[in-house]
Amino acid sequence: MFRLFPKEFAEAIVQFEVDSNPTAKLAAIEKVKTFSTALSGSAAFTLYDTYGFPLDLTELMARERGLTVDKAGFEKLMEEQRARARAAQKKEVISLSQIETTTPTKFVGYEKLEVQAKVLEVVGLKEKTAVILDTSACYAEMGGQVGDTGELSGSGQLWRVANTQKVR
């Protein structure tokens, strides 16, 4: 963690306050002048990135204490962080464009938990299979809601439904 006022700075202030010798006071003033009156961009970025402390509040508090904030240094570090975040993102587009059915599936899940349905289309997508039905009791994923799971059975076989999606 950083310290806004290093030990040497505090010692120079105490020396100025305590020492009555004018030469010692001048030496203390010169020592204080060597310290920056700006909060580094790195310190402001640490406050923001690690603790969630907003830059505008850091600037306000620094201004109240007669300091400035190295905003250019902060922005440089912020852009580096954004670049790292973009590089770490895994973007995978799942395409249902192979599905050609234009007939909408009738949803009956409010009235029934099981329903007889006709398979309109079966499409292989990556390692999974999409099955389009004419009627379904499963609620499709939309509006922030997770789609239902369930089972499909037919011809003496049982298939697990892992996800239900609405195809537009």
Side-chain angles (χ1 to χ4, degrees), residues 19 29 51 74 76 81-82 93 101 109 118 130 133 148 165:
D19 207 324
I29 289 171
Y51 304 106
F74 174 86
K76 180 179 180 272
Q81 174 68 358
R82 286 185 191 114
V93 177
T101 303
K118 179 180 170 189
L133 305 172
D148 286 341
Q165 301 244 332

Side-chain angles (χ1 to χ4, degrees), residues 34-96:
T34 64
F35 291 94
S36 173
T37 59
L39 181 65
S40 72
S42 175
F45 181 75
T46 300
L47 286 171
Y48 175 79
D49 192 50
T50 306
Y51 304 106
F53 201 78
L55 178 62
D56 59 339
L57 285 180
T58 301
E59 290 176 310
L60 176 68
M61 293 178 75
R63 205 170 27 255
E64 288 172 351
R65 288 159 180 78
L67 301 171
T68 60
V69 176
D70 175 17
K71 202 168 179 180
F74 174 86
E75 290 300 333
K76 180 179 180 272
L77 291 169
M78 193 65 184
E79 190 52 45
E80 289 172 8
Q81 174 68 358
R82 286 185 191 114
R84 283 191 300 272
R86 280 191 294 272
Q89 283 182 343
K90 292 183 179 179
K91 295 181 182 178
E92 183 180 340
V93 177
I94 299 171
S95 174
L96 295 177

Side-chain angles (χ1 to χ4, degrees), residues 94-146:
I94 299 171
S95 174
L96 295 177
S97 62
Q98 297 163 319
I99 297 173
E100 297 176 7
T101 303
T102 57
T103 307
T105 301
K106 182 179 178 189
F107 174 68
V108 294
Y110 293 129
E111 298 87 31
K112 302 176 183 179
L113 295 177
E114 290 184 12
V115 65
Q116 291 289 323
K118 179 180 170 189
V119 175
L120 300 176
E121 189 173 349
V122 177
V123 179
L125 299 169
K126 299 188 182 196
E127 298 96 35
K128 303 196 185 255
T129 304
V131 179
I132 312 300
L133 305 172
D134 68 339
T135 308
S136 176
C138 294
Y139 185 82
E141 177 180 320
M142 63 181 149
Q145 295 290 315
V146 176

